[in-house]
Amino acid sequence: MHNLLDHLVLQKGAALFSEGDGGDCAYLIKRGQIEIFVRREDGDIVLARRGAGEIIGEMALIDQGTRSASARVTEDCELLVVTEQQLEHRIATTDPILRMCLGVVIQRYRETLALHASGARSRPASKAFSVPGPEFHAAVEALTLDQEMLRALRLKEFELYLQPIVHLGGRGLAGFEGLIRWNHPQRGLLAPAQFIPAAEASGLIVGITQWCLHELTRIFPLLAAAAEGNAAQPLWTASSESALFVTVNISGHDLVQPAFADTVKTILSQGGISPCNLKLEITESMLMKDPAGAAKILDACRLHGMGIAVDDFGTGYSSLSYLSTLPITTLKIDRAFVRSMASDPKSRKIVSTIRYLARELEIPVVAEGIETEEQADMLAAMACEYGQGFLFGRPAPVAVTLERIRHWPAPFAAPMDSDAGPRRRAAELLTMD
């Protein structure tokens, strides 16, 4: 039995699988040639030959049947293994009619294969090999990235960076957002956009989420200890109102795991971390496939004491409906509105409207993407509770974050009716049409 980490190099004459074997994986031929045949009393019957750019063994994997023929190497080969897990996540998200057609095609192919195997031995086998095209190269890239991500989990190549989230009223530290990075041995430091979509497509994102949660339990005591050494910071208690928190992004794949809430609770408990120190961050896109199922999982998480933050609020089509169906504890205003609010009256009104709605529902707001003091002052004048952005710090490794905590300045008094220049300017901007 092979697994996703297998990268096979086989010499001429090697047997790959035999007729009647169970189909635990398929193979993408990266180079070389393979012969598919059936054994009969009067000799082997060659059914087909496959070369670079082709996949073999997929039927038994997809329909969970047995191998309908045998395969052996006729020219030194390099193969990439395609596991059931990889196909399961991809096929599960395919249109159901297309999945049905796929099943019919496999059934018909098996019938044709059996008929072909019973025919005359003189029937020639095709020697024409397809030239690897864009689909082949994309498949090789995806499979290789899957293998590398599995190795990254095993070899601890991932790292959790932390970006400060502050109380806008006085700029005291409130918490952090945990943002994963990949220290790739060949490609250097990779941002999430360079590998998370592939992890979502393959289902490996579930393991990555669990890694993030385990990593949080490792570093959280370090954050708390650093805070205790800074007398300028307010005391973080264990209560949900004033607890230091870390926000961790989760995936739609996590929200279809029936035991997800209990799994997270167990990880936190084993690490000695209170659930109120964790906020699970979700986006609207991950809720659209199964809102009811996601709501059930998130309700369970909330009952365990975890916070629920909705990212990029205001950019989707159904955001308002989620306010009444999900146990949301924090709204994050999309950075696009914050970036343009100083110059665009519409963006200011959108931010103001979101803040008003959240206040009516008693849901705190985090404004993302704050890069200037002017933006921070305007948001504070709107009574936005929290802010996040380059103004307060870029995402940084744990060691840098600990130094930030130790030297973070004391919160300042920030009366909303102050005549200070920046705040007066913020008030003027808020009243502009």
Side-chain angles (χ1 to χ4, degrees), residues 174-376:
F176 299 89
E177 179 175 359
L179 299 162
I180 193 170
R181 299 290 187 268
W182 182 1
N183 291 304
H184 194 285
Q186 284 81 43
R187 299 168 60 189
L189 188 67
L190 301 182
Q194 295 174 275
F195 61 92
I196 290 298
E200 292 270 5
S202 67
L204 292 174
I205 191 66
V206 173
I208 291 176
T209 298
Q210 292 192 15
W211 175 87
C212 289
L213 294 170
H214 281 290
E215 181 67 1
L216 171 61
T217 65
R218 183 188 73 82
I219 66 177
F220 192 87
L222 304 177
L223 304 179
E228 290 178 1
N230 185 348
Q233 285 302 305
L235 179 65
W236 280 318
T237 69
S239 69
S240 59
E241 292 80 12
S242 57
L244 169 67
F245 63 84
V246 176
T247 300
V248 173
N249 293 274
I250 63 173
S251 161
H253 287 293
D254 297 314
L255 295 181
V256 298
Q257 306 293 320
F260 177 72
D262 291 334
T263 298
V264 177
K265 180 183 178 183
T266 298
I267 292 174
L268 296 177
S269 178
Q270 291 175 346
I273 307 300
S274 171
C276 70
N277 298 128
L278 172 66
K279 290 187 179 182
L280 301 173
E281 187 164 314
I282 60 177
T283 60
E284 180 180 340
S285 60
M286 73 175 60
L287 301 171
M288 295 180 70
K289 293 180 181 178
D290 183 14
K296 184 177 180 180
I297 299 296
L298 293 174
D299 280 336
C301 292
R302 187 72 191 110
L303 286 174
H304 288 322
M306 307 162 206
I308 309 296
V310 176
D311 195 18
D312 301 335
F313 187 80
T315 60
Y317 295 104
S318 305
S319 299
L320 291 178
S321 67
Y322 296 136
L323 295 179
S324 62
T325 58
L326 298 178
I328 298 170
T329 61
T330 304
L331 292 180
K332 302 191 77 173
I333 301 176
D334 186 73
R335 67 187 69 246
F337 301 126
V338 173
R339 185 183 300 116
S340 60
M341 62 183 296
S343 59
D344 180 16
K346 290 184 179 179
S347 292
R348 288 197 299 276
K349 290 178 180 179
I350 290 173
V351 173
S352 179
T353 300
I354 293 174
R355 179 63 196 97
Y356 175 80
L357 177 63
R359 182 166 56 245
E360 290 296 304
L361 296 173
E362 299 181 339
I363 300 175
V365 165
V366 178
E368 294 188 287
I370 301 175
E371 298 183 359
T372 68
E373 289 287 353
E374 183 180 45
Q375 292 168 346

Side-chain angles (χ1 to χ4, degrees), residues 384-400:
C384 288
E385 290 88 349
Y386 302 108
Q388 178 181 349
F390 291 169
L391 176 64
F392 311 116
R394 294 174 179 268
V398 172
V400 175

